[in-house]
Amino acid sequence: MTHKQMRIIDHPVLGAMNERDIMTFTFDGHTYKGFKGDTIASALLANGIRQLRVHEERGTPRGIYCNIGHCFECRTTVNGVSGVRACLTPLKDGMVVTSGQTEPVPLNSEHDVDELPRTYTEFIQKQKAHEAGDSDA
Amino acid sequence: MDKMIICRCEEVTLGDIKDTAEQYDATAREIKLRTRAGMGYCGGRTCRPAVDKVLEDITGEKPGDQIPLKVQPPVRPVTLATLGGRTNDT
């Protein structure tokens, strides 16, 4: 697996990369391998994965942006915990990483005012309808 | 140029800000509230200098005027669960 990865294995300043423990993790259900010392983002990048999530409303792709933990553009869900920055989180063996997906926007101002939910029950109903694929609800 | 994204969290382009300024004859603060530029997940820590500069150019208001573009950048966004005492070991 490692021979397919894009990595600098002999850096002109930092020298050659030593043998490192291989760690296995999943991203959106697919299994990948990274090295000990990788962040989630670097391991995925080495495997050719650049898109870590989509914008919750627009669905446009997002990936590493600042890569120093500042911008939260690379946030993923790790072992069920959302909002985890892939660029700062060290990879661990067996991690289950999932990308961010689009969210329903029932309160979007582009909706007709009369169609906005007026109660929490209505909100939940609209959300369920959205999840069922009825984007007009 | 107008397609350039100023605020990535809320996906606000320069064109969005210009259009809002033109349509509503808005102050810098009002543009920010209408477009949500600088009010996303990161708390404006990434785009604030750009938002300040763009709004200054468009409205002529200096940032930090009498009605400031209020900024409360978090050290990091935390969940209610974290505030409630859950430890985060990931």
PDB file of all heavy atoms in Angstrom, chain A residues 104-131:
ATOM      1  N   PRO A 104     -29.410  19.894   6.551  1.00  0.00           N
ATOM      2  CA  PRO A 104     -30.643  20.572   6.150  1.00  0.00           C
ATOM      3  C   PRO A 104     -30.618  22.033   6.583  1.00  0.00           C
ATOM      4  O   PRO A 104     -30.021  22.368   7.602  1.00  0.00           O
ATOM      5  CB  PRO A 104     -31.736  19.794   6.885  1.00  0.00           C
ATOM      6  CG  PRO A 104     -31.039  19.084   7.994  1.00  0.00           C
ATOM      7  CD  PRO A 104     -29.636  18.840   7.533  1.00  0.00           C
ATOM      8  N   VAL A 105     -31.224  22.894   5.800  1.00  0.00           N
ATOM      9  CA  VAL A 105     -31.262  24.314   6.144  1.00  0.00           C
ATOM     10  C   VAL A 105     -32.705  24.806   6.186  1.00  0.00           C
ATOM     11  O   VAL A 105     -33.112  25.624   5.380  1.00  0.00           O
ATOM     12  CB  VAL A 105     -30.423  25.158   5.166  1.00  0.00           C
ATOM     13  CG1 VAL A 105     -28.954  25.039   5.471  1.00  0.00           C
ATOM     14  CG2 VAL A 105     -30.670  24.742   3.727  1.00  0.00           C
ATOM     15  N   PRO A 106     -33.481  24.294   7.166  1.00  0.00           N
ATOM     16  CA  PRO A 106     -34.910  24.638   7.196  1.00  0.00           C
ATOM     17  C   PRO A 106     -35.159  26.116   7.503  1.00  0.00           C
ATOM     18  O   PRO A 106     -36.249  26.622   7.250  1.00  0.00           O
ATOM     19  CB  PRO A 106     -35.453  23.749   8.321  1.00  0.00           C
ATOM     20  CG  PRO A 106     -34.282  23.444   9.167  1.00  0.00           C
ATOM     21  CD  PRO A 106     -33.094  23.405   8.259  1.00  0.00           C
ATOM     22  N   LEU A 107     -34.167  26.805   8.056  1.00  0.00           N
ATOM     23  CA  LEU A 107     -34.372  28.213   8.401  1.00  0.00           C
ATOM     24  C   LEU A 107     -33.706  29.152   7.414  1.00  0.00           C
ATOM     25  O   LEU A 107     -33.538  30.335   7.685  1.00  0.00           O
ATOM     26  CB  LEU A 107     -33.838  28.482   9.820  1.00  0.00           C
ATOM     27  CG  LEU A 107     -34.538  27.678  10.907  1.00  0.00           C
ATOM     28  CD1 LEU A 107     -33.859  27.876  12.248  1.00  0.00           C
ATOM     29  CD2 LEU A 107     -36.008  28.070  11.009  1.00  0.00           C
ATOM     30  N   ASN A 108     -33.321  28.632   6.255  1.00  0.00           N
ATOM     31  CA  ASN A 108     -32.680  29.452   5.242  1.00  0.00           C
ATOM     32  C   ASN A 108     -33.602  30.606   4.829  1.00  0.00           C
ATOM     33  O   ASN A 108     -34.796  30.419   4.607  1.00  0.00           O
ATOM     34  CB  ASN A 108     -32.380  28.574   4.024  1.00  0.00           C
ATOM     35  CG  ASN A 108     -31.477  29.282   3.036  1.00  0.00           C
ATOM     36  OD1 ASN A 108     -31.632  30.474   2.804  1.00  0.00           O
ATOM     37  ND2 ASN A 108     -30.557  28.550   2.470  1.00  0.00           N
ATOM     38  N   SER A 109     -33.027  31.798   4.720  1.00  0.00           N
ATOM     39  CA  SER A 109     -33.840  32.975   4.414  1.00  0.00           C
ATOM     40  C   SER A 109     -34.372  32.948   2.995  1.00  0.00           C
ATOM     41  O   SER A 109     -35.232  33.748   2.636  1.00  0.00           O
ATOM     42  CB  SER A 109     -33.014  34.241   4.629  1.00  0.00           C
ATOM     43  OG  SER A 109     -31.909  34.233   3.763  1.00  0.00           O
ATOM     44  N   GLU A 110     -33.846  32.013   2.180  1.00  0.00           N
ATOM     45  CA  GLU A 110     -34.354  31.920   0.810  1.00  0.00           C
ATOM     46  C   GLU A 110     -35.714  31.222   0.765  1.00  0.00           C
ATOM     47  O   GLU A 110     -36.410  31.260  -0.235  1.00  0.00           O
ATOM     48  CB  GLU A 110     -33.351  31.169  -0.074  1.00  0.00           C
ATOM     49  CG  GLU A 110     -32.134  32.015  -0.416  1.00  0.00           C
ATOM     50  CD  GLU A 110     -30.992  31.196  -0.987  1.00  0.00           C
ATOM     51  OE1 GLU A 110     -31.246  30.049  -1.390  1.00  0.00           O
ATOM     52  OE2 GLU A 110     -29.868  31.697  -1.022  1.00  0.00           O
ATOM     53  N   HIS A 111     -36.079  30.585   1.871  1.00  0.00           N
ATOM     54  CA  HIS A 111     -37.385  29.948   1.922  1.00  0.00           C
ATOM     55  C   HIS A 111     -38.481  31.008   2.013  1.00  0.00           C
ATOM     56  O   HIS A 111     -38.258  32.113   2.479  1.00  0.00           O
ATOM     57  CB  HIS A 111     -37.503  29.048   3.160  1.00  0.00           C
ATOM     58  CG  HIS A 111     -36.710  27.791   3.061  1.00  0.00           C
ATOM     59  ND1 HIS A 111     -37.223  26.611   2.599  1.00  0.00           N
ATOM     60  CD2 HIS A 111     -35.417  27.529   3.359  1.00  0.00           C
ATOM     61  CE1 HIS A 111     -36.298  25.671   2.613  1.00  0.00           C
ATOM     62  NE2 HIS A 111     -35.185  26.200   3.077  1.00  0.00           N
ATOM     63  N   ASP A 112     -39.664  30.598   1.550  1.00  0.00           N
ATOM     64  CA  ASP A 112     -40.831  31.446   1.747  1.00  0.00           C
ATOM     65  C   ASP A 112     -41.108  31.530   3.251  1.00  0.00           C
ATOM     66  O   ASP A 112     -41.081  30.520   3.959  1.00  0.00           O
ATOM     67  CB  ASP A 112     -42.021  30.798   1.020  1.00  0.00           C
ATOM     68  CG  ASP A 112     -43.227  31.716   1.017  1.00  0.00           C
ATOM     69  OD1 ASP A 112     -43.239  32.656   1.821  1.00  0.00           O
ATOM     70  OD2 ASP A 112     -44.138  31.467   0.217  1.00  0.00           O
ATOM     71  N   VAL A 113     -41.351  32.735   3.741  1.00  0.00           N
ATOM     72  CA  VAL A 113     -41.551  32.924   5.182  1.00  0.00           C
ATOM     73  C   VAL A 113     -42.680  32.035   5.705  1.00  0.00           C
ATOM     74  O   VAL A 113     -42.602  31.472   6.798  1.00  0.00           O
ATOM     75  CB  VAL A 113     -41.868  34.407   5.478  1.00  0.00           C
ATOM     76  CG1 VAL A 113     -42.252  34.593   6.938  1.00  0.00           C
ATOM     77  CG2 VAL A 113     -40.659  35.265   5.146  1.00  0.00           C
ATOM     78  N   ASP A 114     -43.725  31.879   4.887  1.00  0.00           N
ATOM     79  CA  ASP A 114     -44.875  31.088   5.336  1.00  0.00           C
ATOM     80  C   ASP A 114     -44.532  29.603   5.493  1.00  0.00           C
ATOM     81  O   ASP A 114     -45.236  28.874   6.171  1.00  0.00           O
ATOM     82  CB  ASP A 114     -46.032  31.225   4.341  1.00  0.00           C
ATOM     83  CG  ASP A 114     -46.584  32.642   4.339  1.00  0.00           C
ATOM     84  OD1 ASP A 114     -46.472  33.304   5.395  1.00  0.00           O
ATOM     85  OD2 ASP A 114     -47.095  33.079   3.305  1.00  0.00           O
ATOM     86  N   GLU A 115     -43.436  29.201   4.839  1.00  0.00           N
ATOM     87  CA  GLU A 115     -43.088  27.777   4.906  1.00  0.00           C
ATOM     88  C   GLU A 115     -42.124  27.458   6.036  1.00  0.00           C
ATOM     89  O   GLU A 115     -41.790  26.303   6.264  1.00  0.00           O
ATOM     90  CB  GLU A 115     -42.468  27.332   3.581  1.00  0.00           C
ATOM     91  CG  GLU A 115     -43.478  27.261   2.451  1.00  0.00           C
ATOM     92  CD  GLU A 115     -42.819  26.894   1.139  1.00  0.00           C
ATOM     93  OE1 GLU A 115     -41.631  26.548   1.157  1.00  0.00           O
ATOM     94  OE2 GLU A 115     -43.503  26.970   0.115  1.00  0.00           O
ATOM     95  N   LEU A 116     -41.657  28.484   6.731  1.00  0.00           N
ATOM     96  CA  LEU A 116     -40.712  28.226   7.824  1.00  0.00           C
ATOM     97  C   LEU A 116     -41.419  27.500   8.965  1.00  0.00           C
ATOM     98  O   LEU A 116     -42.598  27.749   9.236  1.00  0.00           O
ATOM     99  CB  LEU A 116     -40.134  29.552   8.348  1.00  0.00           C
ATOM    100  CG  LEU A 116     -39.150  30.259   7.419  1.00  0.00           C
ATOM    101  CD1 LEU A 116     -38.742  31.592   8.003  1.00  0.00           C
ATOM    102  CD2 LEU A 116     -37.930  29.394   7.155  1.00  0.00           C
ATOM    103  N   PRO A 117     -40.715  26.586   9.630  1.00  0.00           N
ATOM    104  CA  PRO A 117     -41.344  25.874  10.752  1.00  0.00           C
ATOM    105  C   PRO A 117     -41.645  26.842  11.896  1.00  0.00           C
ATOM    106  O   PRO A 117     -40.833  27.699  12.208  1.00  0.00           O
ATOM    107  CB  PRO A 117     -40.282  24.851  11.152  1.00  0.00           C
ATOM    108  CG  PRO A 117     -39.002  25.391  10.624  1.00  0.00           C
ATOM    109  CD  PRO A 117     -39.327  26.166   9.401  1.00  0.00           C
ATOM    110  N   ARG A 118     -42.832  26.703  12.475  1.00  0.00           N
ATOM    111  CA  ARG A 118     -43.199  27.594  13.581  1.00  0.00           C
ATOM    112  C   ARG A 118     -43.060  26.925  14.940  1.00  0.00           C
ATOM    113  O   ARG A 118     -43.042  27.595  15.950  1.00  0.00           O
ATOM    114  CB  ARG A 118     -44.640  28.110  13.405  1.00  0.00           C
ATOM    115  CG  ARG A 118     -44.721  29.304  12.466  1.00  0.00           C
ATOM    116  CD  ARG A 118     -46.066  29.417  11.844  1.00  0.00           C
ATOM    117  NE  ARG A 118     -46.285  28.286  10.926  1.00  0.00           N
ATOM    118  CZ  ARG A 118     -47.321  28.177  10.140  1.00  0.00           C
ATOM    119  NH1 ARG A 118     -48.252  29.083  10.148  1.00  0.00           N
ATOM    120  NH2 ARG A 118     -47.449  27.133   9.353  1.00  0.00           N
ATOM    121  N   THR A 119     -43.012  25.598  14.913  1.00  0.00           N
ATOM    122  CA  THR A 119     -42.813  24.885  16.178  1.00  0.00           C
ATOM    123  C   THR A 119     -41.676  23.899  16.013  1.00  0.00           C
ATOM    124  O   THR A 119     -41.252  23.600  14.886  1.00  0.00           O
ATOM    125  CB  THR A 119     -44.070  24.087  16.585  1.00  0.00           C
ATOM    126  OG1 THR A 119     -44.310  23.094  15.582  1.00  0.00           O
ATOM    127  CG2 THR A 119     -45.282  24.988  16.709  1.00  0.00           C
ATOM    128  N   TYR A 120     -41.190  23.397  17.122  1.00  0.00           N
ATOM    129  CA  TYR A 120     -40.095  22.431  17.068  1.00  0.00           C
ATOM    130  C   TYR A 120     -40.551  21.157  16.369  1.00  0.00           C
ATOM    131  O   TYR A 120     -39.798  20.547  15.598  1.00  0.00           O
ATOM    132  CB  TYR A 120     -39.600  22.120  18.481  1.00  0.00           C
ATOM    133  CG  TYR A 120     -38.398  21.212  18.496  1.00  0.00           C
ATOM    134  CD1 TYR A 120     -37.178  21.643  17.972  1.00  0.00           C
ATOM    135  CD2 TYR A 120     -38.473  19.930  19.010  1.00  0.00           C
ATOM    136  CE1 TYR A 120     -36.078  20.829  17.957  1.00  0.00           C
ATOM    137  CE2 TYR A 120     -37.374  19.095  19.004  1.00  0.00           C
ATOM    138  CZ  TYR A 120     -36.174  19.541  18.472  1.00  0.00           C
ATOM    139  OH  TYR A 120     -35.092  18.716  18.462  1.00  0.00           O
ATOM    140  N   THR A 121     -41.805  20.781  16.618  1.00  0.00           N
ATOM    141  CA  THR A 121     -42.345  19.582  15.971  1.00  0.00           C
ATOM    142  C   THR A 121     -42.312  19.731  14.446  1.00  0.00           C
ATOM    143  O   THR A 121     -41.913  18.820  13.726  1.00  0.00           O
ATOM    144  CB  THR A 121     -43.788  19.336  16.432  1.00  0.00           C
ATOM    145  OG1 THR A 121     -43.827  19.494  17.844  1.00  0.00           O
ATOM    146  CG2 THR A 121     -44.254  17.945  16.078  1.00  0.00           C
ATOM    147  N   GLU A 122     -42.728  20.914  13.977  1.00  0.00           N
ATOM    148  CA  GLU A 122     -42.698  21.167  12.541  1.00  0.00           C
ATOM    149  C   GLU A 122     -41.279  21.114  12.003  1.00  0.00           C
ATOM    150  O   GLU A 122     -41.025  20.592  10.919  1.00  0.00           O
ATOM    151  CB  GLU A 122     -43.282  22.561  12.252  1.00  0.00           C
ATOM    152  CG  GLU A 122     -44.772  22.563  12.054  1.00  0.00           C
ATOM    153  CD  GLU A 122     -45.271  23.935  11.642  1.00  0.00           C
ATOM    154  OE1 GLU A 122     -44.571  24.663  10.910  1.00  0.00           O
ATOM    155  OE2 GLU A 122     -46.358  24.297  12.087  1.00  0.00           O
ATOM    156  N   PHE A 123     -40.361  21.672  12.799  1.00  0.00           N
ATOM    157  CA  PHE A 123     -38.951  21.659  12.406  1.00  0.00           C
ATOM    158  C   PHE A 123     -38.439  20.236  12.208  1.00  0.00           C
ATOM    159  O   PHE A 123     -37.810  19.914  11.198  1.00  0.00           O
ATOM    160  CB  PHE A 123     -38.126  22.393  13.478  1.00  0.00           C
ATOM    161  CG  PHE A 123     -36.637  22.273  13.289  1.00  0.00           C
ATOM    162  CD1 PHE A 123     -35.976  23.042  12.347  1.00  0.00           C
ATOM    163  CD2 PHE A 123     -35.903  21.387  14.064  1.00  0.00           C
ATOM    164  CE1 PHE A 123     -34.607  22.938  12.173  1.00  0.00           C
ATOM    165  CE2 PHE A 123     -34.535  21.273  13.896  1.00  0.00           C
ATOM    166  CZ  PHE A 123     -33.888  22.047  12.938  1.00  0.00           C
ATOM    167  N   ILE A 124     -38.771  19.374  13.186  1.00  0.00           N
ATOM    168  CA  ILE A 124     -38.336  17.976  13.117  1.00  0.00           C
ATOM    169  C   ILE A 124     -38.953  17.282  11.902  1.00  0.00           C
ATOM    170  O   ILE A 124     -38.295  16.535  11.180  1.00  0.00           O
ATOM    171  CB  ILE A 124     -38.719  17.236  14.418  1.00  0.00           C
ATOM    172  CG1 ILE A 124     -37.924  17.808  15.584  1.00  0.00           C
ATOM    173  CG2 ILE A 124     -38.472  15.745  14.287  1.00  0.00           C
ATOM    174  CD1 ILE A 124     -36.431  17.577  15.486  1.00  0.00           C
ATOM    175  N   GLN A 125     -40.242  17.569  11.659  1.00  0.00           N
ATOM    176  CA  GLN A 125     -40.913  16.969  10.503  1.00  0.00           C
ATOM    177  C   GLN A 125     -40.222  17.361   9.205  1.00  0.00           C
ATOM    178  O   GLN A 125     -39.981  16.530   8.325  1.00  0.00           O
ATOM    179  CB  GLN A 125     -42.378  17.403  10.460  1.00  0.00           C
ATOM    180  CG  GLN A 125     -43.262  16.633  11.434  1.00  0.00           C
ATOM    181  CD  GLN A 125     -44.630  17.276  11.601  1.00  0.00           C
ATOM    182  OE1 GLN A 125     -44.898  18.344  11.047  1.00  0.00           O
ATOM    183  NE2 GLN A 125     -45.492  16.646  12.379  1.00  0.00           N
ATOM    184  N   LYS A 126     -39.890  18.644   9.103  1.00  0.00           N
ATOM    185  CA  LYS A 126     -39.236  19.118   7.884  1.00  0.00           C
ATOM    186  C   LYS A 126     -37.852  18.496   7.724  1.00  0.00           C
ATOM    187  O   LYS A 126     -37.425  18.171   6.622  1.00  0.00           O
ATOM    188  CB  LYS A 126     -39.127  20.651   7.912  1.00  0.00           C
ATOM    189  CG  LYS A 126     -40.434  21.343   7.557  1.00  0.00           C
ATOM    190  CD  LYS A 126     -40.335  22.833   7.712  1.00  0.00           C
ATOM    191  CE  LYS A 126     -41.653  23.513   7.389  1.00  0.00           C
ATOM    192  NZ  LYS A 126     -41.982  23.435   5.947  1.00  0.00           N
ATOM    193  N   GLN A 127     -37.187  18.344   8.868  1.00  0.00           N
ATOM    194  CA  GLN A 127     -35.860  17.757   8.816  1.00  0.00           C
ATOM    195  C   GLN A 127     -35.934  16.310   8.344  1.00  0.00           C
ATOM    196  O   GLN A 127     -35.134  15.868   7.525  1.00  0.00           O
ATOM    197  CB  GLN A 127     -35.219  17.827  10.204  1.00  0.00           C
ATOM    198  CG  GLN A 127     -33.732  17.651  10.186  1.00  0.00           C
ATOM    199  CD  GLN A 127     -33.094  18.070  11.481  1.00  0.00           C
ATOM    200  OE1 GLN A 127     -33.698  17.908  12.536  1.00  0.00           O
ATOM    201  NE2 GLN A 127     -31.906  18.602  11.426  1.00  0.00           N
ATOM    202  N   LYS A 128     -36.928  15.581   8.857  1.00  0.00           N
ATOM    203  CA  LYS A 128     -37.090  14.186   8.442  1.00  0.00           C
ATOM    204  C   LYS A 128     -37.421  14.108   6.961  1.00  0.00           C
ATOM    205  O   LYS A 128     -36.899  13.260   6.245  1.00  0.00           O
ATOM    206  CB  LYS A 128     -38.196  13.520   9.267  1.00  0.00           C
ATOM    207  CG  LYS A 128     -37.681  13.034  10.619  1.00  0.00           C
ATOM    208  CD  LYS A 128     -38.745  12.279  11.378  1.00  0.00           C
ATOM    209  CE  LYS A 128     -38.213  11.831  12.729  1.00  0.00           C
ATOM    210  NZ  LYS A 128     -39.271  11.637  13.714  1.00  0.00           N
ATOM    211  N   ALA A 129     -38.268  15.019   6.515  1.00  0.00           N
ATOM    212  CA  ALA A 129     -38.619  15.038   5.099  1.00  0.00           C
ATOM    213  C   ALA A 129     -37.386  15.316   4.258  1.00  0.00           C
ATOM    214  O   ALA A 129     -37.194  14.728   3.189  1.00  0.00           O
ATOM    215  CB  ALA A 129     -39.686  16.096   4.840  1.00  0.00           C
ATOM    216  N   HIS A 130     -36.531  16.204   4.753  1.00  0.00           N
ATOM    217  CA  HIS A 130     -35.298  16.531   4.032  1.00  0.00           C
ATOM    218  C   HIS A 130     -34.399  15.308   3.933  1.00  0.00           C
ATOM    219  O   HIS A 130     -33.843  15.006   2.883  1.00  0.00           O
ATOM    220  CB  HIS A 130     -34.574  17.671   4.750  1.00  0.00           C
ATOM    221  CG  HIS A 130     -33.290  18.078   4.080  1.00  0.00           C
ATOM    222  ND1 HIS A 130     -33.232  19.069   3.137  1.00  0.00           N
ATOM    223  CD2 HIS A 130     -32.031  17.593   4.217  1.00  0.00           C
ATOM    224  CE1 HIS A 130     -31.980  19.192   2.702  1.00  0.00           C
ATOM    225  NE2 HIS A 130     -31.217  18.325   3.349  1.00  0.00           N
ATOM    226  N   GLU A 131     -34.282  14.612   5.076  1.00  0.00           N
ATOM    227  CA  GLU A 131     -33.416  13.432   5.100  1.00  0.00           C
ATOM    228  C   GLU A 131     -33.939  12.334   4.183  1.00  0.00           C
ATOM    229  O   GLU A 131     -33.176  11.543   3.633  1.00  0.00           O
ATOM    230  CB  GLU A 131     -33.278  12.898   6.532  1.00  0.00           C
ATOM    231  CG  GLU A 131     -32.266  13.690   7.330  1.00  0.00           C
ATOM    232  CD  GLU A 131     -32.390  13.456   8.815  1.00  0.00           C
ATOM    233  OE1 GLU A 131     -33.198  12.578   9.205  1.00  0.00           O
ATOM    234  OE2 GLU A 131     -31.705  14.135   9.590  1.00  0.00           O
TER     235      GLU A 131
END
